Amino acid sequence: VPAKAHLIAELAKQAISHQFKIGDLFIDGKDALGKEVYFANSGDLIANQAKVISLKTLYRHGSEPVGTGANATKQNGRHYASPISNSADGKGKVIEADDKSWHPFFNKIYRDGELKSIEMPEAETGFAIASHYLWMAEGERTITLNFTLGGDVSGLTTDFKNDIICQITTEKGWFEIPATKFGPVSGGTMQLTATLSGADPAVTPYLAKTHAYTFDTALPVLMLKLKHRPDHLFKYFLFQDVEIQQIGLVVNVTGLKTLAVSNDFGPVDTSKPFQPFGARPVAGSSLTIGSKEVFQKNLTSATVKVNWLATPDPYETTPKVNIDFLKSGTWKPSGITAASVTASTFGLTQNLLYPVKDEADLNKNDAFTTESRQGFLRMKLDADFGQNAYQAYLLKYLRKDADAVDPPGEPPTGPVMNALSIDYTASQQIILNSGNAAAFAIRKANFYHLNPFGQAEQHAVLSSSNKVFMLPQFDIERDSAKQESEAEFYIGLSGLLPPQKVSLLFQVADGTANPLSLKPDPHLHWSYLAGNEWVAFKEDEIEDNTRGLLKSDIVSLAVPSDANSSNTMLPSGQHWIRVAVTNGADAVCRILAVEAQAMLTTFTDRDNDPAFNAHVLPAGSIKKMEKPEAAVKKVSQPFDSFGGQAAEESTDFYTRISERLRHKDRAITLWDYERLVLNAFPEVFRVKCLNHTQYEPTADSEGIYRELAAGHVTLITVPNKQFHNELDPLKPFTSLGTLEEIYTFVKARTTCFVKLHVRNPQFEEVRVNFKLRLYDGFDETFYTNRLRESITRFLSPWAFPGGESPTFGGKIYKSVLIDFVEEQPYVDYVTDFELFHHIDNVPGTKDLNEIEGSRAVSILVSVPESKHGITLIHPSAEEIAAEKCNCES
């Protein structure tokens, strides 16, 4: 059988593409006979400049407990996200395992068959709103969002304020503000309320350099993220199907003092006492107040508040204040009823106050000039304070005129303020469910999804479904229905120019898929990112030779022209490919590498050394083409060759032929099934064929086992090598990929009436519990652990170097185990020896004298060594003295 090798091509910078044709030759070197060794391309490859530069993972945990304790089941439904999938912690830490493999869908750490931790960062999930209405400099500021909802809101029956984190943009970065309310839903609406105090910093526009993230806006941003609480369930599952139709944004500000104030004589510094209408006000004297924050919002109410240093005391009549607004450079009457100048508040509630600007201006306030066009109000006196009348009357009184009998009293005092502020409430309606493209183009606010690896604006115009969800959606479309993803693996490509075809080599660690997992069909769902939406590849655009990531091979993808690199939900500048699964995330192998521009080559025999195929060709052996091409920069062989076999030995040949003559390549008898598998799959040590036996998994993990099922045939396999899997090294599982290959192989050689099942054995655990007395002088901790290991090795010898292979059936006797323990040189004696049998992960509670497998598919194994119960016996002082006396006598 000729050896095969995967090669990776890299083109020169000036080359857009290059075609490698079937039969193109690549040179390895020379064999033992000194002849050139050639490998030929097995298929056409149009190589291009695409390279894999990013690998990311999103994982939604299921119901499997994580660790122990009260929070072990609180991880159900929690989202994890690794920005660097091929690392030990999902964030870039070097993998210390010998094979350097990593899982594309999660990073779980198992110990003694139990999930101890998930070494991945918790995912950031939420939404954000960008609006100039959030631009608020100071004072007591309350933000209220009124969501009009659709979809499934049945789970939103409580207040979720403790399950969210609210942050807003400030000059120094994101500032967390407490949410005082978030829910529940009432009448199809839900409210979020958050408050900033007067001591909190000013809300400023979003700046990517300061605030990170990738929001495509220069407006202030309010961001809400779901909180990961280790002692509570992650609340995404309650919000994932909630739709948002529109958002009512209301801001209420009390005590805004950052204003552009001037009177008829120029700008006024309101931080010190000032004369608002000048030193000697007359009718028409005015105070001008400007604020970009206030007067570019739709105001539902506003109030000018003043603090008089001394209450104004006019003479004879009290002037009133009229309010005008500047519109298009001209002062227009507001229609607001004039108020007494002695008032401390001036309400601005009439006629909705002010026309809003078309564009938000988030610069500092400008002083009023003749070039000002809007953004100001004017408080104008309709009369003076009576200074002239007082002077005239005073002269009459001094002249003792007949009409000046009474003294004029205290002279009128001009108004002096020592504080000026504005309170206002403004509201904005953000419509998200309208498909009106023209209205979308002039929108004044943006709604974003906060994805684990990026952000994307959401609107009905931008969505193919015309729906906007409250939170990002992690699902796939299958049979015209949405199904939630369990895990998603993202591949970022640079240099791709769609429409182009890209060939990806997935080098996997063979046999590392969970052999107990039920692999769905179909399992992997491939899609590409276009316009911040995942679009499924068509069937004729995918060629997957990896059997669903169960073996190392090439996946070829024809990327359509609508794929783009300007998306924001994942880093822009790259084309993104997604591999998603709805369940069975552990039914794929761990990965060693993902490389683009891959091709499969096969050894071409030119009277070479017959033993050449029996040797593995080391990685890096193939480095060049037979005929160099200017478009090709280099060709590399990243991994060892595979699949090569030398000529068959004569004894093996006679054995195979004899068996072939008996079963005639057909599976009829039990002997036929077993010999067919053992011959075709040398990695299998033992096969047990059970007729009329149904043994298969089910989606609910309960499984079906019947020993009287007509038409069913079950094959149980045991591998022929020491096999360590990440779930439990004590249980020798055959890999999921091998099981599928055996099924395909045997199914083609049996009748159509047989319902075939190829499965791993049912491993039933044996546990011991006893009391132990060690001889004096032996370290208790060390030798207790050593004894646990010895018992485990005795019960599961195949899990250790040099151990025997497992067998079906058999019995374990308590007396044999007691004898084994007592024969250890450091053991004095044992008491209270108990033997337990665990079946289907259900711990046995009955002490047994002997244990036998409960089914024909059972193999007895040891529990993890840490679960063997050993209690040390510590004798009393009197017992020790008695033992010493007996020894002396």
Side-chain angles (χ1 to χ4, degrees):
V1 179
K4 300 179 184 295
H6 287 116
L7 303 185
I8 303 298
E10 182 178 345
L11 301 185
K13 290 184 178 179
Q14 70 275 10
I16 298 176
S17 63
H18 176 77
Q19 183 178 12
F20 292 92
K21 298 180 180 179
I22 297 176
D24 281 350
L25 295 177
F26 303 87
I27 300 177
D28 160 41
K30 295 184 178 180
D31 61 14
L33 301 179
K35 295 184 178 181
E36 294 282 357
V37 176
Y38 295 93
F39 279 76
N41 187 22
S42 302
D44 286 338
L45 169 66
I46 307 298
N48 50 57
Q49 294 285 359
K51 293 182 179 180
V52 176
I53 62 172
S54 297
L55 299 170
K56 302 180 184 296
T57 297
L58 174 71
Y59 171 63
R60 173 182 56 84
H61 187 60
S63 59
E64 185 178 14
V66 182
T68 58
N71 296 334
T73 59
K74 300 298 184 182
Q75 312 311 311
N76 299 0
R78 195 174 302 277
H79 287 183
Y80 297 88
S82 295
I84 304 176
S85 300
N86 51 337
S87 64
D89 60 353
K91 296 184 289 187
K93 183 179 178 181
V94 175
I95 299 173
E96 297 180 357
D98 292 338
D99 63 356
K100 305 298 182 184
S101 66
W102 45 274
H103 204 284
F105 292 134
F106 51 68
N107 186 18
K108 298 179 181 180
I109 305 301
Y110 286 88
R111 190 178 302 114
D112 294 337
E114 294 181 351
L115 176 59
K116 295 300 181 182
S117 64
I118 301 176
E119 297 297 322
M120 300 174 68
E122 293 171 333
E124 279 194 348
T125 307
F127 62 82
I129 294 173
S131 171
H132 68 279
Y133 278 67
L134 298 170
W135 190 41
M136 298 173 290
E138 60 192 349
E140 295 283 343
R141 292 150 287 173
T142 301
I143 304 169
T144 303
L145 299 177
N146 294 302
F147 301 95
T148 303
L149 304 178
D152 184 5
V153 298
S154 59
L156 308 182
T157 57
T158 60
D159 191 339
F160 297 96
K161 64 182 178 183
N162 295 323
D163 295 296
I164 60 172
I165 298 173
C166 284
Q167 294 176 303
I168 201 162
T169 49
T170 66
E171 184 178 6
K172 295 184 178 180
W174 292 100
F175 183 79
E176 186 171 337
I177 56 178
T180 57
K181 181 181 181 182
F182 186 47
V185 171
S186 177
T189 63
M190 184 174 180
Q191 188 176 89
L192 167 69
T193 306
T195 302
L196 287 153
S197 70
D200 292 334
V203 180
T204 60
Y206 166 78
L207 186 63
K209 183 178 180 181
T210 302
H211 303 103
Y213 295 94
T214 57
F215 297 109
D216 54 346
T217 183
L219 300 174
V221 176
L222 173 69
M223 184 166 62
L224 180 146
K225 296 185 288 187
L226 292 183
K227 184 185 295 185
H228 287 273
R229 304 168 68 187
D231 56 341
H232 288 73
L233 292 175
F234 190 53
K235 294 301 188 294
Y236 175 84
F237 72 99
L238 294 176
F239 291 91
Q240 63 180 350
D241 295 324
V242 175
E243 300 173 19
I244 296 183
Q245 298 171 355
Q246 57 187 24
I247 304 172
L249 170 59
V250 180
V251 294
N252 181 271
V253 178
T254 301
L256 175 63
K257 298 179 180 179
T258 305
L259 306 167
V261 181
S262 60
N263 57 21
D264 295 338
F265 303 97
V268 173
D269 182 3
T270 59
S271 64
K272 304 177 182 65
F274 63 96
Q275 295 176 310
F277 302 107
R280 191 177 178 85
V282 298
S285 293
S286 62
L287 177 70
T288 302
I289 303 173
S291 173
K292 291 183 178 179
E293 174 184 328
V294 177
F295 297 119
Q296 59 185 358
K297 301 174 181 178
N298 280 316
L299 301 172
T300 56
S301 67
T303 302
V304 176
K305 287 187 174 182
V306 302
N307 188 32
W308 300 106
L309 185 63
T311 303
D313 186 15
Y315 180 73
E316 292 186 349
T317 60
T318 300
K320 292 188 176 182
V321 175
N322 290 297
I323 305 295
D324 299 332
F325 287 125
L326 186 67
K327 181 180 180 181
S328 301
T330 303
W331 290 108
K332 302 291 185 181
S334 66
I336 299 173
T337 303
S340 171
V341 74
T342 60
S344 59
T345 60
F346 299 89
L348 311 177
T349 58
Q350 207 164 337
N351 298 333
L352 294 181
L353 303 175
Y354 194 75
V356 177
K357 292 175 64 176
D358 290 336
E359 299 295 335
D361 185 354
L362 305 182
N363 296 306
K364 292 183 178 180
N365 291 325
D366 297 325
F368 174 75
T369 66
T370 56
E371 297 179 354
S372 301
R373 292 294 175 263
Q374 54 190 1
F376 293 88
L377 68 81
R378 182 174 67 181
M379 302 175 66
K380 185 172 67 174
L381 298 177
D382 65 353
D384 60 22
F385 274 72
Q387 289 95 336
N388 293 333
Y390 179 85
Q391 291 293 334
Y393 187 85
L394 179 59
L395 289 175
K396 288 182 180 182
Y397 179 78
L398 293 175
R399 291 196 305 263
K400 298 182 179 181
D401 293 347
D403 57 348
V405 178
D406 299 323
E410 295 294 329
T413 58
V416 177
M417 294 181 184
N418 62 359
L420 175 64
S421 65
I422 292 181
D423 297 347
Y424 73 90
T425 300
S427 63
Q428 180 185 36
Q429 203 68 18
I430 305 172
I431 308 298
L432 299 175
N433 63 344
S434 171
N436 189 329
F440 171 76
I442 58 173
R443 64 197 183 283
K444 301 297 189 303
N446 310 91
F447 177 76
Y448 296 92
H449 274 169
L450 180 63
N451 290 275
F453 305 114
Q455 297 74 50
E457 185 176 3
Q458 303 297 308
H459 195 279
V461 173
L462 301 174
S463 172
S464 59
S465 64
N466 296 321
K467 295 180 180 179
V468 176
F469 292 89
M470 178 176 283
L471 295 177
Q473 300 296 289
F474 308 111
D475 52 32
I476 62 170
E477 186 171 346
R478 181 180 176 187
D479 299 329
S480 301
K482 296 286 186 181
Q483 295 186 11
E484 185 180 9
S485 300
E486 179 185 6
E488 299 182 354
F489 178 48
Y490 308 119
I491 304 170
L493 300 171
S494 67
L496 187 68
L497 300 174
Q500 279 187 333
K501 190 172 184 178
V502 60
S503 296
L504 299 175
L505 168 64
F506 287 85
Q507 188 73 23
V508 306
D510 292 332
T512 52
N514 180 7
L516 299 180
S517 179
L518 176 61
K519 192 173 181 68
D521 184 23
H523 187 203
L524 305 184
H525 302 272
W526 297 81
S527 53
Y528 60 92
L529 195 58
N532 280 325
E533 289 191 321
W534 292 109
V535 181
F537 281 101
K538 299 177 182 178
E539 288 188 10
D540 59 354
E541 294 173 338
I542 308 172
E543 184 182 352
D544 183 3
N545 297 313
T546 68
R547 298 178 64 91
L549 297 185
L550 290 179
K551 68 170 188 172
S552 299
D553 217 317
I554 297 172
V555 177
S556 297
L557 302 170
V559 184
S561 58
D562 60 329
N564 59 69
S565 60
S566 58
N567 304 282
T568 58
M569 64 182 292
L570 282 159
S572 61
Q574 304 174 44
H575 287 84
W576 288 95
I577 305 297
R578 181 183 71 169
V579 188
V581 294
T582 58
N583 53 61
D586 57 351
V588 302
C589 288
R590 296 174 65 86
I591 290 180
L592 299 172
V594 182
E595 300 279 358
Q597 313 311 324
M599 69 184 91
L600 176 65
T601 58
T602 305
F603 169 66
T604 301
D605 190 358
R606 297 188 175 183
D607 294 327
N608 291 98
D609 180 12
F612 178 81
N613 277 312
H615 303 288
V616 173
L617 191 66
S621 299
I622 303 175
K623 301 178 180 179
K624 61 181 180 179
M625 301 180 65
E626 179 194 26
K627 298 179 180 178
E629 295 281 352
V632 180
K633 182 179 180 180
K634 69 175 182 179
V635 174
S636 59
Q637 176 198 350
F639 298 96
D640 297 345
S641 65
F642 60 96
Q645 294 181 21
E648 191 175 29
E649 296 290 339
S650 58
T651 55
D652 296 332
F653 172 77
Y654 290 131
T655 300
R656 179 173 60 85
I657 293 302
S658 299
E659 292 180 353
R660 174 63 182 261
L661 290 174
R662 178 173 174 177
H663 58 62
K664 299 178 177 61
D665 201 30
R666 295 175 298 178
I668 299 176
T669 68
L670 305 185
W671 189 93
D672 296 340
Y673 281 94
E674 294 171 353
R675 293 308 182 276
L676 281 167
V677 173
L678 289 173
N679 180 71
F681 298 90
E683 65 268 29
V684 175
F685 169 72
R686 179 167 288 135
V687 181
K688 186 173 185 179
C689 181
L690 300 171
N691 57 352
H692 55 72
T693 299
Q694 181 182 8
Y695 181 36
E696 60 180 323
T698 56
D700 59 3
S701 74
E702 292 294 329
I704 299 174
Y705 182 78
R706 294 191 301 154
E707 293 187 355
L708 293 175
H712 291 266
V713 174
T714 294
L715 295 179
I716 305 298
T717 64
V718 177
N720 72 344
K721 58 184 179 181
Q722 180 180 321
F723 185 86
H724 290 274
N725 64 85
E726 65 173 354
L727 290 176
D728 193 342
L730 299 176
K731 300 174 181 177
F733 292 114
T734 304
S735 71
L736 195 61
T738 302
L739 293 179
E740 289 201 353
E741 291 178 359
I742 293 173
Y743 176 85
T744 302
F745 173 81
V746 175
K747 188 65 178 176
R749 288 160 174 80
T750 189
T751 72
C752 60
F753 303 105
V754 169
K755 297 177 181 178
L756 181 66
H757 313 284
V758 183
R759 297 278 285 144
N760 275 294
Q762 173 178 286
F763 294 101
E764 300 177 358
E765 295 179 317
V766 176
R767 181 175 67 87
V768 298
N769 188 45
F770 59 89
K771 295 180 179 179
L772 170 70
R773 175 78 166 97
L774 297 175
Y775 285 118
D776 292 340
F778 287 91
D779 183 273
E780 293 183 353
T781 302
F782 175 81
Y783 283 98
T784 300
N785 291 333
R786 184 172 181 178
L787 181 57
R788 286 194 177 97
E789 180 184 341
S790 298
I791 294 171
T792 305
R793 183 188 293 264
F794 180 80
L795 294 172
S796 298
W798 50 83
F800 300 88
E804 299 176 357
S805 296
T807 59
F808 294 94
K811 293 182 180 181
I812 293 177
Y813 297 94
K814 180 191 291 188
S815 59
V816 174
L817 281 171
I818 293 175
D819 182 64
F820 172 79
V821 172
E822 289 184 334
E823 285 182 351
Q824 304 304 310
Y826 44 84
V827 175
D828 187 356
Y829 60 87
V830 297
T831 64
D832 301 323
F833 200 98
E834 296 176 312
L835 184 63
F836 300 100
H837 188 191
H838 300 345
I839 302 175
D840 286 338
N841 295 320
V842 178
T845 57
K846 184 178 179 181
D847 180 23
L848 303 172
N849 290 321
E850 63 180 50
I851 293 177
E852 185 177 7
S854 64
R855 296 174 176 176
V857 297
S858 300
I859 293 180
L860 298 177
V861 300
S862 171
V863 297
E865 62 182 65
S866 62
K867 293 186 177 182
H868 289 300
I870 300 178
T871 303
L872 288 172
I873 299 174
H874 296 95
S876 63
E878 291 79 5
E879 292 173 329
I880 294 175
E883 289 179 3
K884 183 177 181 181
C885 181
N886 291 332
C887 292
E888 291 176 350
S889 63

